[in-house]
Amino acid sequence: MAPTSPRASRDAAVPSIRDVAAAAGVSYQTVSRVLNDSPRVRPETRASVLAAIEQLGFRPSRTARALSLGRARGITVVTSDTVLYGYAATLQGIEEAARAAGMSVGVRVVESAEPAEVRQAVEYVSDASAGAVVVIAFDTIGVAVLEALPAHVPAVAVAEPAAPDRGRVAIALDERGAAADATRHLLDLGHRTVHHVAIPSEGGQGGRLAGWRDALHAAGAAVPEVLGCGWDIASAYAAGRELAADPQVTAILCGNDDIAQGVRRALYDAGKDVPGHVSIVGFDDIPGAAYWTPALTTVRMDFPGLGRACFDAAMAELSGHPQPAPRLVPPALMIRESTASPPPA
């Protein structure tokens, strides 16, 4: 007699959908309809199947269920980052909404826009078990994945407001209007112009960059050269050192709050007081920004709400239902201690 392998023993002990059908005295198709919440099952039959499922400890295969439905009822998020505040807070909102709906969330991190890596990500989310797809397209990596997705994959983009139409549902916060408000705040305080340290995702058409320019043009103010930096605070510090060396710089709009932190430290090391010599405005209102010294004036962004709206939109795409109107809290300028009138000339 051949020995039984441990794997074979485990497989034999796992109840199947046909075992449930036999215990309930119904067809396996009826069990499938119960699992999929079909209305075409009599209440007494449903109760019998559910009792058999409980008795046998049956757990349906997610992959098999996904294939039977066409796509799994779940979410896969494609993102290039899970740590930066905007990305992480958006992901948090997606996860909260999915958990409330009793659904799971998978995350696929794509580290570069290289064709091979983009292709692997697209193949991964094209599988039926991936469910609906949310692409966080704040950067070139996310955009590359979004553009490569086959049309049949139900997908929603978390996008820059100025992003071109790529034939997908795209949800964005009004970064352009918010950046214009922040810039106007500094101009209204009496600053002759506002310098800008941009985050990498802004490129040439980012909403924050565009709003900054809008406000300067509307006020007839000079438009300084944009200083770019990486996502790391060290590169923001280097940009801040450059600005600190220019006595004409009295106001700075930073691409996000981490950049503001690096710029603030550079000004401090150069002997420049904030806001006595230079005013700083950040973006995002990360946790703790109100407790800096000085407390940071910044733009509050509803990234968790953005994530929840994207979940709702993705579920509508998956089910073929009409798209719901996004419920988003508009960006808001939080005026704190890091901005003031410029020093006397």
Side-chain angles (χ1 to χ4, degrees):
M1 181 175 178
T4 303
S5 70
R7 179 174 178 177
S9 298
R10 287 195 301 271
D11 291 344
V14 176
S16 69
I17 191 171
R18 293 181 184 274
D19 294 328
V20 174
V26 299
S27 68
Y28 74 88
Q29 293 94 335
T30 298
V31 177
S32 179
R33 284 193 285 271
V34 170
L35 292 173
N36 294 327
D37 295 325
S38 171
R40 297 166 51 203
V41 181
R42 293 194 303 270
E44 59 271 22
T45 301
R46 185 183 304 276
S48 178
V49 170
L50 292 176
I53 288 172
E54 180 68 24
Q55 178 185 355
L56 295 175
F58 172 72
R59 295 295 178 265
S61 164
R62 291 178 58 207
T63 301
R65 185 167 184 263
L67 293 172
S68 70
L69 294 174
R71 297 287 296 191
R73 287 193 60 77
I75 289 285
T76 298
V77 181
V78 179
T79 179
S80 65
D81 196 284
T82 58
V83 176
L84 290 167
Y85 178 69
Y87 295 77
T90 302
L91 183 57
Q92 173 193 342
I94 295 170
E95 192 280 329
E96 289 174 349
R99 180 156 32 94
M103 295 184 184
S104 61
V105 177
V107 179
R108 176 75 181 199
V109 176
V110 186
E111 295 183 343
S112 80
E114 290 295 320
E117 186 153 358
V118 170
R119 184 170 57 253
Q120 289 177 357
V122 169
E123 289 174 354
Y124 181 86
V125 299
S126 294
D127 188 89
S129 63
V133 179
V134 177
V135 181
I136 300 182
F138 289 150
D139 49 43
T140 56
I141 297 174
V143 170
V145 172
L146 187 66
E147 292 179 337
L149 280 178
H152 71 270
V153 176
V156 171
V158 187
E160 290 281 346
D165 184 3
R166 293 183 169 86
R168 297 285 187 180
V169 174
I171 302 178
L173 296 167
D174 184 12
E175 297 186 355
R176 184 169 186 163
D181 288 343
T183 304
R184 278 193 295 270
H185 167 64
L186 291 165
L187 294 173
D188 290 345
L189 288 172
H191 296 277
R192 298 179 64 181
T193 191
V194 178
H195 289 71
H196 182 44
V197 181
I199 52 177
S201 65
E202 291 190 66
Q205 300 180 350
R208 303 178 188 195
L209 182 62
W212 166 75
R213 285 200 178 111
D214 289 345
L216 292 179
H217 285 313
V223 181
E225 181 179 354
V226 176
L227 285 180
C229 65
W231 291 113
D232 59 299
I233 296 179
S235 65
Y237 179 85
R241 292 287 289 183
E242 184 174 341
L243 291 171
D246 184 350
Q248 300 301 313
V249 174
T250 64
I252 305 170
L253 173 64
C254 298
N256 67 18
D257 293 344
D258 288 338
I259 302 304
Q261 185 177 11
V263 170
R264 166 72 182 93
R265 179 67 196 198
L267 292 169
Y268 175 84
D269 288 348
K272 295 290 184 75
D273 179 65
V274 176
H277 296 112
V278 181
S279 290
I280 297 178
V281 176
F283 226 99
D284 294 346
D285 195 24
I286 63 173
Y291 298 94
W292 291 10
T293 302
L296 182 66
T297 295
T298 184
V299 176
R300 176 171 292 172
M301 300 286 283
D302 182 24
F303 287 118
L306 180 63
R308 290 189 290 270
C310 286
F311 172 83
D312 292 341
M315 287 296 98
E317 284 289 286
L318 185 63
S319 62
H321 293 159
Q323 279 293 324
R327 292 176 294 177
L328 298 171
V329 176
L333 182 64
M334 312 303 294
I335 300 174
R336 299 183 180 124
E337 299 167 350
S338 67
T339 53
S341 298

